[in-house]
Amino acid sequence: MARTLVPWTGNPVRMFESLRKEMNDLMDEFFGTPDGSELTPWFAPRINLAETDQAYEISVDLPGMKPEEFAVELKDGQLWISGERKHEHEEKGKTYHRVERQYGRFQRAVGLPTAVKADKIQAEYKDGVLRITVPKDESAQAKRITVKT
């Protein structure tokens, strides 16, 4: 029986590389333009979402961007963060061995489960991080009830 088994000599790295290429091709096909003429690059910036008794706090990584290159909107109970990071042009005389930075359009929607004070939302952009504070409405905040004896 042992003579009929053939050892597998495939390279697992190469196997996953072809899977990655196939997934990238599928995404390019799915998110390309309707006429298929030019693909539109996109990415999703990383976010952190935290909750306190009084507010929601959202942090979004947007390094290298200017505040006028993205927008923050509240619509239909969701906080929308959208924009576009422009691709830096490659310089002549340079050979790029790796390009991992993400470029293109992005859009993130963060669902807010409770009522918020829309007129009190604050956004601050500093050191490549967008920090948004969304205060909760008084009706959504936890209330402590005293127990009488």
Side-chain angles (χ1 to χ4, degrees):
M1 172 111 171
R3 294 181 188 178
T4 60
L5 295 177
V6 178
W8 183 65
T9 58
N11 185 346
V13 173
R14 192 174 299 156
M15 179 179 67
F16 288 113
E17 184 64 26
S18 83
L19 175 63
R20 185 190 63 79
K21 182 186 179 319
E22 287 179 29
M23 291 302 295
N24 284 343
D25 291 345
L26 178 66
M27 291 295 167
D28 288 345
E29 201 174 304
F30 184 76
F31 290 107
T33 58
D35 62 356
S37 60
E38 183 180 333
L39 298 175
T40 304
W42 63 276
F43 74 101
R46 305 287 185 194
I47 68 168
N48 286 348
L49 173 62
E51 180 180 4
T52 65
D53 289 339
Q54 291 81 26
Y56 296 101
E57 297 170 353
I58 299 112
S59 299
V60 187
D61 286 340
L62 298 172
M65 295 189 71
K66 298 175 185 162
E68 56 269 11
E69 295 176 330
F70 54 85
V72 179
E73 300 174 289
L74 179 67
K75 52 186 175 183
D76 299 327
Q78 293 184 326
L79 189 70
W80 289 79
I81 304 145
S82 60
E84 183 174 4
R85 181 182 294 147
K86 302 289 184 187
H87 188 6
E88 296 174 358
H89 297 287
E90 294 182 8
E91 298 176 25
K92 291 183 180 181
K94 284 187 179 179
T95 301
Y96 286 86
H97 296 282
R98 191 175 291 238
V99 178
E100 295 182 352
R101 296 179 67 196
Q102 297 177 318
Y103 301 96
R105 295 180 185 180
F106 64 88
Q107 189 171 39
R108 295 294 306 258
V110 178
L112 302 172
T114 60
V116 298
K117 297 178 183 178
D119 57 333
K120 302 285 186 185
I121 296 175
Q122 295 179 347
E124 178 188 8
Y125 183 67
K126 183 178 178 184
D127 297 331
V129 179
L130 172 64
R131 287 183 174 80
I132 305 165
T133 304
V134 183
K136 293 180 182 178
D137 191 42
E138 283 84 16
S139 64
Q141 292 182 14
K143 297 198 179 5
R144 183 164 186 121
I145 300 169
T146 57
V147 179
K148 296 179 184 178
T149 57

